[in-house]
Amino acid sequence: MAIIRGPSDRSALVLISLTSGPKHGYALIKDIESFAGVTLGPGSLYGAIARLEHAGIVEALPGGGNRKLYRITVRGAEHLRELPERDRVNSHAALGRLVPG
Amino acid sequence: MNVRAFIRFVLGIYPPWWRRRYGAETAELSEQLLTEPGARRWRLLAGLLSGSVLAWMQLRRIGDLLSPIESPNPWGMVPRGSHRDLFGNRGLWPRSEAELEPGEELLGVLDGVTGNRFIAHLPMMGVSYIVAPLILSLHFHFLGWGMLEVGAAFLPLGLLLRPLTTSYDVAVAVTSHGVVVFRRGVTGRTGKMIDRMPAVEPELVSFELMTRRVRLGGRTFRLNRRSDPLLYWMSQTLRSAGGR
């Protein structure tokens, strides 16, 4: 199943943002705004997170009350690396941020 | 209206699993965003409303009850079918499965309409016209009787005309033996078998904006646009089945 359809996909933006480290909802919105110039609303953000969580690409860190921290899973990092070349060029920002190892 | 109360109201539209998992986070984040200088509150509320649609769509994906039919096509997608009912169930319901022949393997299901699509959808329109004003009346304390009356007319009229004109929502099941067509009810669940045909070559009659008119055997179907990759797979599958 194609989780990421393109760089403009909200899920891709969330994934790209999480490659620089775990973040909660507010931090994700601000980060996406800064690198992509796209302002996600809470509805779209959690819609994308739900989709990524369901696919096992993103997970919530335990604890934290209402403000949960989300991080990219090992499978998510692999998914990002395995994007086709066409998407890889578009996802340059993500690969640049991805922590090696 | 108090924006916080409206946020709570909008979050009430989300599916229960979503509210349990993300409801508190979303409410807190929304309130935090609203406290920012220059916050566009109506844009945020509109986003929350559209997010509820995404959440319900997510539910439909999560709610898949049938296991996928493993037969990836060149696109890498599993052709288990585009058909889903209102409750997110994919594939065929047990009553329809029971009408398959012994040893007949279900390969995929495409959803569509046969006959007149407006008549086929009349009962669902009736239900919408009845349910929508009732839901709105809970919030606005005003009942739109006009819509209710239209709904009350559409529902029985549709239920009466559909069997007379053989205009149904259908599920076109591609099996190892050919094609089996099942009726789908108002909720989308599959029911009685209405046609069975051997492996026939699907013929694309016309390529419409939202649908594809496809001729299969002696019947013409309007298949959902989402079925496009499945249509290709279907033509390949049926061609190979015909050649066996």
Side-chain angles (χ1 to χ4, degrees), chain A residues 1 10 25-26 29-30 39-47 49-54 60 65-68 70, chain B residues 14 17-18 21-22 24-26 28-30 32-33 36 43-44 47-48 50-52 54-55 58 61-62 76:
Chain A
M1 181 174 63
R10 292 176 185 95
Y26 185 78
I29 287 182
K30 291 297 159 194
T39 309
L40 290 188
S44 319
L45 177 74
Y46 284 107
I49 289 176
R51 193 163 163 231
L52 290 168
E53 263 201 306
H54 182 57
N66 284 345
R67 286 163 65 97
K68 282 198 178 358
Y70 293 93
Chain B
Y14 281 70
W17 73 268
W18 199 95
R21 177 66 187 81
Y22 303 105
E25 270 182 271
T26 309
E28 194 179 304
L29 178 59
S30 305
Q32 190 176 359
L33 290 172
E36 287 189 341
R43 191 176 160 181
L44 188 139
L48 276 179
S50 62
S52 70
L54 288 175
Q58 180 76 4
R61 273 196 291 272
I62 291 170

Side-chain angles (χ1 to χ4, degrees), chain A residues 60-65 68-69 71:
Chain A
L61 289 172
K68 282 198 178 358
L69 277 172
R71 73 172 169 202

Side-chain angles (χ1 to χ4, degrees), chain B residues 2 13-14 70 89 110-111 114 120 137 170 192 206 210 217:
Chain B
N2 183 328
I13 301 172
Y14 281 70
E70 299 298 341
N89 304 300
L110 288 81
D111 60 344
T114 172
S137 72
V170 292
K192 197 178 161 189
S206 61
M210 299 298 286

Side-chain angles (χ1 to χ4, degrees), chain A:
Chain A
M1 181 174 63
I3 303 299
I4 301 172
R5 288 186 296 254
S8 59
D9 191 324
R10 292 176 185 95
S11 304
L13 293 174
V14 171
L15 195 57
I16 290 168
S17 176
L18 288 177
T19 50
S20 62
K23 290 182 189 67
H24 52 70
Y26 185 78
L28 275 169
I29 287 182
K30 291 297 159 194
D31 188 45
I32 290 169
E33 216 170 55
S34 70
F35 76 78
V38 176
T39 309
L40 290 188
S44 319
L45 177 74
Y46 284 107
I49 289 176
R51 193 163 163 231
L52 290 168
E53 263 201 306
H54 182 57
I57 285 178
V58 156
E59 64 184 358
L61 289 172
N66 284 345
R67 286 163 65 97
K68 282 198 178 358
L69 277 172
Y70 293 93
R71 73 172 169 202
I72 188 166
T73 60
V74 175
R75 192 183 158 196
E78 281 169 8
H79 186 85
L80 206 55
R81 287 198 183 92
E82 285 168 7
L83 283 175
E85 193 57 37
R86 168 175 54 90
D87 295 334
R88 191 174 293 214
V89 173
N90 293 332
S91 304
H92 183 72
L95 290 165
R97 285 165 151 230
L98 199 60
V99 182

Side-chain angles (χ1 to χ4, degrees), chain B residues 160-238:
Chain B
L160 184 77
L161 284 177
R162 284 196 337 162
L164 290 177
T165 57
T166 59
S167 304
Y168 302 119
D169 276 321
V170 292
V172 180
V174 182
T175 71
S176 51
H177 292 29
V179 176
V180 190
V181 185
F182 295 95
R183 270 183 69 168
R184 284 194 289 131
V186 172
T187 60
R189 67 173 63 183
T190 54
K192 197 178 161 189
M193 180 176 79
I194 53 173
D195 203 358
R196 171 180 276 284
M197 37 188 117
V200 283
E201 182 76 17
E203 182 194 339
L204 185 67
V205 178
S206 61
F207 202 74
E208 294 168 3
L209 184 64
M210 299 298 286
T211 56
R212 313 291 180 238
R213 283 182 78 186
V214 176
R215 194 152 181 84
L216 261 174
R219 272 181 191 272
T220 304
F221 299 95
R222 271 197 165 84
L223 297 176
N224 196 304
R225 188 175 57 169
R226 283 179 304 160
S227 309
D228 277 358
L230 290 165
L231 260 178
Y232 176 80
W233 161 81
M234 180 181 174
S235 91
Q236 300 296 307
T237 307
L238 291 174

